[in-house]
Amino acid sequence: MVEAFVLRWTPFPVSSPIRFTLPESELPTHWYNLAADFPEPPPPPLHPGTKQPVSLEDMLALFPENLVRQEMTTERWVEIPAEVREIYTLWRPTPLLRAVRLERALQTPAHLYYKYEGGSPAGSHKPNTAVPQAFYNRQAGVKRLATETGAGQWGASLALACRLFGLECRVYMVSVSYHQKPYRKLLMQTWGATVSPSPSDQTEFGRRLLQEAPDSPGSLGIAISEAIEDTLKSKSTKYALGSVLNHVCLHQTVIGQEAIRQMEMAGEEPDVVIGCVGGGSNFAGVAFPFLRRKLLEKRKTRVLAVEPTACASLTKGELRYDFGDAAMTTPLMMMHTLGHDFVPPKIHAGGLRYHGMAPLVSHAVKLGLAEAAAYPQTKVFEAAALFARTEGIVPAPEPAHAIRAAVDEALRAKEEGKKRVILFNLCGHGMLDLASYDAYLGGKLSDG
Ligand SMILES: *Cc1c(COP(=O)(O)O)cnc(C)c1O
């Protein structure tokens, strides 16, 4: 595909603007909660023992009360604390760009827009929730946060946020990534976090696993179990999660709110809004504010969640109650799932290797508000390379899934001879994922 679309220099200047930026004064003041506007409420999380809806008290072992209340709220707009907004302004509002060179390469009548979240200090959308999570923990008197990370995007974001609020941060990083992908580990350590390869010798669970298999590569499920054990053993420690939960989706909605304003500046209305999905948070962030208008103003906006075929919870999984982790320690959540014991193939989009899906995203799909599609990674990297060669930014392998779907929408518009306005979320850059480009460029990529 890349070879097929050689970009030729066009000898006329661009007639319409391509970069849409908002002043600091237009940073959103509230997060938007889709739970307030669903025509029917999503089923509640259940206590695995009693099978009754989890209570606020049940969750206090892991999270501070202010965040548990936020997790359960059906309030439509939640005010963003001033301290959080001040830190957001380090990289927000983020730019919206029109991908005119990609449009030309595709020779499509479609207009392609992308919201760029890669300009945050950690290089992805994840600090949008890491910062408020650290803030609320700090406000509740918590001294230390424990978490897990796979490839390191979440661990790095939380390490930064903890540093900014004076909290200690302990990250259990999946062992194979710890050794094979040292750069995000070094980011975490630079920001002052303590990082252990998981399974680690810091927990009973980890020590037991190490005794059985001293060179275990680890898994996200194991790392979650270690972070939870750490949290339950220490009075001043709480746990933090980078995706899936309602409050995480909530925090990400600054993305879509800004995008709505910026599309107005561009004088266009997206026909389709696209995001990649691992646990569902960056997709929720860009899409939920558009879904609000779809529900309240009866707009026809399509909303599309894109996942890898190798870990396709929305298109291949079942909608049922399941655990969020492999060790079965979390509440049961009603979500699209491949099963809590599903071990996804080692695709390069590490952030999309999660067996489940955010309950809010699952519910939106169930109600027909959102669609889902899945792509194999060879197709995804073709689109990623085309994007890098036309727009310049090297995308992370995860948002490359959204780019692939956007390219296909643009090509369909071309076939149909119709204009179509497409918006996608470019939720992170790929500068620390160049090893996956090495595999692509060397023809060593398989579909897993
Ligand atoms: C973590 C991550 C994802 C997947 O998580 P979501 O909650 O689905 O957004 C996608 N892209 C990037 C860049 C990530 O860091």
Side-chain angles (χ1 to χ4, degrees), residues 57 105 117 196-197 351 354 366:
E57 290 72 31
E117 292 292 313
S196 306
Y354 182 65
K366 184 200 157 201

Side-chain angles (χ1 to χ4, degrees), residues 162-207:
C162 282
R163 169 60 40 180
L164 294 174
F165 286 106
L167 298 172
E168 278 179 59
C169 182
R170 154 74 72 166
V171 183
Y172 293 90
M173 182 172 189
V174 175
S175 185
V176 60
S177 301
Y178 181 96
H179 295 292
Q180 285 178 4
K181 302 186 176 179
Y183 293 114
R184 288 205 184 87
K185 172 194 76 184
L186 290 165
L187 268 182
M188 291 179 231
Q189 292 170 335
T190 301
W191 282 320
T194 309
V195 190
S196 306
S198 165
S200 76
D201 58 6
Q202 302 294 308
T203 66
E204 263 171 51
F205 187 60
R207 284 190 292 272

Side-chain angles (χ1 to χ4, degrees), residues 124-126 153 242-243 276-283 351-352 396 398-399 427-428:
S124 78
H125 64 290
K126 290 215 170 73
Q153 286 276 24
S243 186
C276 67
V277 283
S281 73
N282 90 83
F283 168 76
L352 307 186
E398 293 88 0
C427 61

